[in-house]
């Protein structure tokens, strides 16, 4: 019964979405406000219907209703409740239902919180958002029905992929989708602005909080995915440049560029056409990621579907949404002329350079992701593009951006004194030099990448703090006055500072984990000792344990340093009752300077294969990601973002009207 209710709710949602998408856009040229205003109530109705369908599917998973094909394929009575719930989106059909739920949620949120939006812009934005939803609802109903029934009901289900039965993977997809789909609102605002033929500072102020929210969610989603790969896959790394990892990273890069470009539109009424272009690109890359995961062109643990017919459907959606958008952009984009003039050396110039770098980096990742697929399609052999390519190309491209991040906030709008800024940054130069020298003293001749990375991280961190000191005139006015200035700094400024510091700390973490990791793979017998980066691992033995729905081999290691006990590590190798590949649960002991990391593998002779690691500064990477997220949230809490552009008072409107008559 619940499955039928959910299916019917999806069908009704499709009809509501069609009305919401078509009627306001058709009524706009006729100036019929009553019909245009249908978009608001329709967005709420659409959200309620899709939420009802999602609740129905969740009920089927929680109650183990194996008469629903989706539940039978992806659930099991012995699964813990958390994984029964996460099984809702741990498959193709359910994940697409989550996708449209988030689409509807963002549309409903614009209606509820967008009271200061001009009626025409809001209704057109909701209409465009709904047309995107129409495409995905049709995709679900015609090719991926999550409520399909089984005539022969099995006694139990096939369970969820063992790799997905993990807390990190339970929360990773929802956050990732909130980021992916969140960029749809920026896209909808952009298309609505093209239809109206108007982009101004108010538009940028309304777009920024929605883009920032999507960026924050996507940051959390990517960080959770990296964290899961780090402790679950047992290879000691956190990023593999997997094509599906890249599919989430590209919208993040484009979204970061969009955030900074919108600042220039808001503050200086410039880069209008470029900002619209970035909004289309950011969501287009999100759709591209969806195509890669669900078309069958990639084989990955991330891939939900391998049905080419579904891939063709999504490809058609991608072509219509992005191709149509670029066609509209080609017609209307040239008319969006920016009014703010600026010198190359200025804050606008720095933000524009920021955009060039980020879009170039996005293009590099896109090339590295699609090139092997293209070579395979034309049957020209097999090509693998991995870390060596990205390290040699991506890092040099991004380095000037990080250097500029310390300089850009010190620049004034319209025109800046580059020589004066560089002359004032003596403390930043000194701190960077000290960091490089200390790295050389501590690590010796272990590669220039470590010195460079730590120097770059220090440059950005100290440069960011230098900007704060400059804003509050530290050392130029009495200390009490500086504190008062500090307290008066806008939350958006604090958000930028925290995020930039987070990136600096993350760069230090990437440098440590990428340049100084120690890995040892060997067969160990009980009682064997092994030195790893000055830590002595002792293999104490193994035992069989029973989990909620799996059997596991647990290996125990004790770790000492200079004879002093540090910790006990217990790694697992799990075999789930319902089959599937065995999973690895690494044992990790985090410390300020690095992680102790142990993995137990298969039996070999009288011993067991073990992988022992020292991962220096890896905790800094997670801390940096946390600060990036915190910075976005603090900036989002700025009142100027929450209320958008305020409406003019009646007195101001009267003055404008009188001025027009004169």
């Amino acid at each position: 019964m619940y499955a039928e209710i959910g299916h019917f709710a999806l069908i009704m949602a499709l009809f509501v979405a069609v009305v919401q998408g078509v009627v306001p856009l058709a009524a706009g040229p006729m100036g019929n406000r009553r019909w245009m205003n249908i978009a608001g109530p329709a967005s709420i109705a659409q959200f309620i219907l899709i939420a009802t369908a999602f609740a129905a599917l969740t009920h089927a998973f929680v109650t183990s209703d194996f008469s629903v094909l989706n539940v039978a394929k992806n659930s099991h009575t012995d699964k813990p409740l958390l994984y029964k719930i996460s099984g809702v989106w741990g498959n193709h059909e359910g994940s697409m239902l989550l996708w449209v739920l988030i689409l509807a949620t963002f549309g409903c949120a614009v209606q509820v919180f967008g009271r200061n939006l001009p009626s025409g812009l809001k209704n057109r934005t909701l209409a465009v958002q709904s047309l995107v939803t129409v495409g995905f609802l049709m995709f679900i109903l015609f090719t991926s029905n999550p409520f399909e029934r089984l005539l022969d009901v099995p006694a139990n289900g096939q369970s969820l992929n063992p790799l997905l039965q993990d807390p990190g993977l339970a929360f990773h997809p929802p956050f990732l989708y909130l980021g992916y789909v969140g960029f749809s609102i920026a896209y909808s605002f952009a298309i609505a602005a093209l239809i109206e033929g108007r982009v101004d500072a108010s538009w940028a102020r309304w777009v920024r909080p929605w883009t920032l929210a999507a960026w924050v969610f996507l940051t959390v989603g990517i960080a959770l995915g990296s964290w899961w790969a780090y402790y679950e896959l047992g290879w000691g790394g956190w990023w593999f440049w997997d094509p599906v990892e890249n599919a989430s990273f590209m919208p993040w890069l484009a979204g970061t560029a969009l955030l900074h470009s919108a600042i220039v539109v808001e503050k200086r009424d410039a880069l209008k056409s470029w900002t619209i272009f970035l909004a289309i690109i950011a969501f287009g890359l999100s759709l591209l990621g969806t195509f890669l995961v669900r078309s069958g062109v990639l084989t990955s643990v991330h891939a939900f579907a391998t049905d080419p017919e579904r891939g063709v459907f999504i490809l058609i959606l991608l072509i219509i949404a992005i191709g149509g958008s670029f066609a509209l952009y080609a017609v209307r984009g040239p008319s969006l002329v920016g009014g703010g003039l600026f010198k190359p050396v200025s804050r606008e110039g720095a933000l524009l350079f920021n955009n060039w770098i980020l879009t170039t980096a996005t293009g590099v990742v896109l090339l590295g992701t699609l090139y092997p697929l293209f070579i395979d399609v034309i049957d020209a052999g097999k090509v693998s593009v991995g870390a060596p390519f990205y390290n040699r190309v991506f890092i040099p491209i991004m380095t000037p951006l990080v250097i500029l991040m310390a300089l850009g906030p010190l620049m004034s709008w319209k025109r800046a004194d580059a020589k004066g800024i560089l002359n004032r940054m003596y403390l930043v130069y000194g701190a960077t030099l000290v960091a490089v020298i200390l790295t050389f003293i501590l690590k010796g001749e272990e590669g220039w990448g470590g010195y460079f990375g730590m120097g770059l991280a220090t440059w950005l961190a100290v440069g960011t703090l230098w900007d704060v000191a400059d804003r509050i005139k530290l050392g130029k006015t009495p200390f009490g006055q500086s504190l008062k200035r500090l307290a008066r700094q806008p939350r958006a400024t604090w958000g930028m500072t925290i995020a930039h510091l987070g990136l600096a700390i993350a760069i230090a973490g990437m440098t440590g984990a990428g340049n100084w990791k120690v890995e040892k793979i060997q067969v160990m017998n009980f009682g064997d000792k092994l030195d790893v980066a000055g830590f002595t691992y002792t293999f104490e033995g193994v035992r069989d344990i029973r989990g909620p729905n799996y059997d596991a081999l647990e290996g125990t290691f004790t770790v000492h340093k200079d004879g002093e006990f540090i910790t006990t590590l217990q790694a697992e190798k799990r075999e789930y009752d319902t089959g599937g590949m065995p999973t690895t649960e690494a044992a990790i002991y985090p410390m300020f300077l690095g992680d102790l990391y142990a993995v137990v593998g298969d039996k070999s002779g009288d011993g067991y294969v073990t992988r022992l690691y020292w991962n220096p500064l890896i905790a800094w990477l997670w801390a940096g990601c946390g600060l990036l997220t915190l910075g976005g949230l603090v900036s989002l809490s700025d009142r100027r973002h929450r209320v958008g552009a305020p409406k003019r008072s009646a007195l101001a409107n009267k003055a404008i009207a009188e001025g027009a008559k004169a």
Side-chain angles (χ1 to χ4, degrees), residues 552-633:
L553 178 76
E554 181 185 76
T556 301
F557 302 83
T558 55
V559 185
H560 295 75
K561 185 176 178 65
D562 298 328
E564 181 181 347
F565 174 76
I566 302 296
T567 188
T568 298
L569 298 175
Q570 293 176 318
E572 296 180 14
K573 184 178 180 63
R574 294 178 179 177
E575 295 274 357
Y576 282 79
D577 298 340
T578 53
M581 68 176 64
T583 65
T584 299
E585 299 293 324
I588 303 171
Y589 182 70
M591 298 185 293
F592 180 73
L593 292 179
D595 284 4
L596 302 172
Y597 187 108
V599 176
V600 64
D602 296 325
K603 185 174 178 60
S604 177
D606 294 332
Y608 289 83
V609 176
T610 62
R611 302 170 70 101
L612 306 177
Y613 296 87
W614 165 245
N615 287 322
L617 303 185
I618 192 70
W620 293 32
L621 172 60
W622 313 129
C625 291
L627 287 176
L628 277 168
T629 302
L630 177 62
L633 292 173

Side-chain angles (χ1 to χ4, degrees), residues 212 491-492 632-642:
L212 184 57
R491 291 187 184 181
L633 292 173
V634 170
S635 184
L636 194 60
S637 70
D638 193 307
R639 184 176 180 274
R640 293 172 299 175
H641 291 330
R642 294 201 307 274

Side-chain angles (χ1 to χ4, degrees), residues 190-512:
I191 300 304
L194 285 175
I195 293 173
E196 287 192 346
R198 185 181 66 184
V199 174
D200 53 21
S202 297
W203 177 88
R205 181 170 289 187
W206 286 312
V207 167
R208 279 182 63 196
W210 300 104
T211 305
L212 184 57
W215 182 88
V216 167
F217 286 129
L218 189 55
T219 301
V220 174
I222 292 173
L224 283 175
S226 296
W227 180 54
W228 168 81
Y230 175 64
Y231 71 79
E232 178 69 20
L233 299 184
W235 60 295
W238 53 273
W239 191 264
F240 193 66
W241 293 105
D242 180 281
V244 183
E245 291 175 333
N246 295 347
S248 63
F249 190 42
M250 288 185 289
W252 188 88
L253 290 170
T256 305
L258 174 60
L259 278 174
H260 291 83
S261 179
I263 295 174
V264 182
V265 178
E266 179 185 348
K267 300 293 186 182
R268 295 289 300 146
D269 197 35
L271 304 186
K272 296 179 181 180
S273 180
W274 173 250
T275 303
I276 294 290
F277 176 80
L278 284 177
I280 297 172
I281 287 293
F283 184 56
L285 290 171
S286 297
L287 292 179
L288 177 63
T290 306
F291 168 73
L292 291 176
V293 172
R294 299 167 199 282
S295 62
V297 300
L298 293 177
T299 301
S300 168
V301 66
H302 305 83
F304 281 117
T306 57
D307 185 350
E309 292 184 6
R310 290 173 174 175
V312 170
F313 198 113
I314 295 180
L315 183 61
I316 293 172
L317 286 179
L318 176 64
I319 292 172
I320 293 174
I322 305 307
S325 302
F326 280 133
L328 181 61
Y329 177 79
V331 174
R332 295 294 186 91
S335 64
L336 303 177
V337 180
L341 300 177
F342 56 88
K343 294 289 185 180
V345 180
S346 62
R347 187 171 298 188
E348 297 98 320
L351 290 170
L352 180 58
F353 185 75
N354 157 295
N355 273 223
W356 287 345
I357 294 294
L358 286 170
T359 50
T360 301
T362 304
V364 166
V365 179
L366 181 64
L367 175 64
T369 303
L370 297 184
Y371 180 71
L373 302 179
F374 174 75
I375 293 297
D376 191 31
V377 167
I378 64 175
D379 199 23
K382 296 287 185 180
V383 175
S384 176
V385 177
F389 166 78
Y390 293 104
N391 291 340
R392 292 174 183 173
V393 180
F394 184 81
I395 293 176
I397 289 175
M398 293 297 289
T399 297
L401 174 63
V402 177
I403 294 173
L404 187 64
M405 286 174 66
L407 299 172
L410 294 167
M411 296 182 182
S412 57
W413 294 104
K414 197 171 182 179
R415 177 185 297 175
D417 179 10
K419 184 177 180 180
I421 292 171
L422 293 173
N423 288 339
R424 297 202 313 268
M425 296 183 67
Y426 52 87
L427 184 61
V428 183
Y429 305 141
T432 303
L433 181 60
V434 168
V436 173
I437 294 173
L438 283 177
T439 302
F440 179 79
I441 293 173
L442 294 174
K443 303 307 298 182
E445 298 181 4
E446 293 190 22
W448 64 269
Y451 318 139
F452 179 77
M454 296 306 291
L456 199 62
T458 304
W459 166 271
L460 178 56
V462 179
T464 300
L465 295 175
W466 187 267
D467 173 54
V468 175
D470 188 69
R471 288 175 185 273
I472 65 176
K473 298 187 182 301
L474 187 64
K476 300 177 183 177
T477 60
F479 186 68
Q481 290 293 325
S482 294
L483 288 180
K484 290 180 181 179
R485 286 177 176 271
L486 185 66
R488 291 197 298 266
Q489 292 300 307
R491 291 187 184 181
T493 300
W494 277 113
M496 176 195 71
T497 301
I498 294 170
H500 285 190
L501 282 174
L503 182 59
I505 294 171
I507 290 172
M510 296 175 199
T511 300

Side-chain angles (χ1 to χ4, degrees), residues 235-236 443 446 512-521 530-535 537 595-597 611-616:
W235 60 295
K443 303 307 298 182
E446 293 190 22
N515 288 275
W516 303 314
K517 179 172 76 172
V518 178
E519 174 187 20
K520 293 194 176 181
I521 305 172
L530 189 68
D531 181 81
V532 180
F535 294 90
Y537 286 74
D595 284 4
L596 302 172
Y597 187 108
R611 302 170 70 101
L612 306 177
Y613 296 87
W614 165 245
N615 287 322

Side-chain angles (χ1 to χ4, degrees), residues 44-60:
I44 296 175
Q46 184 188 143
F47 167 74
I48 293 172
L49 289 167
I50 296 176
T52 300
F54 191 81
L57 186 60
T58 303
H59 178 270

Side-chain angles (χ1 to χ4, degrees), residues 160-201:
L160 187 65
N161 183 340
L163 285 173
L164 304 181
Q165 295 187 45
D166 180 87
L169 259 290
F171 298 104
H172 162 64
F175 278 105
L176 204 63
Y177 285 11
L178 283 165
Y180 267 157
V181 184
F183 286 127
S184 66
I185 282 293
Y187 167 83
S188 297
F189 268 107
I191 300 304
L194 285 175
I195 293 173
E196 287 192 346
R198 185 181 66 184
V199 174
D200 53 21

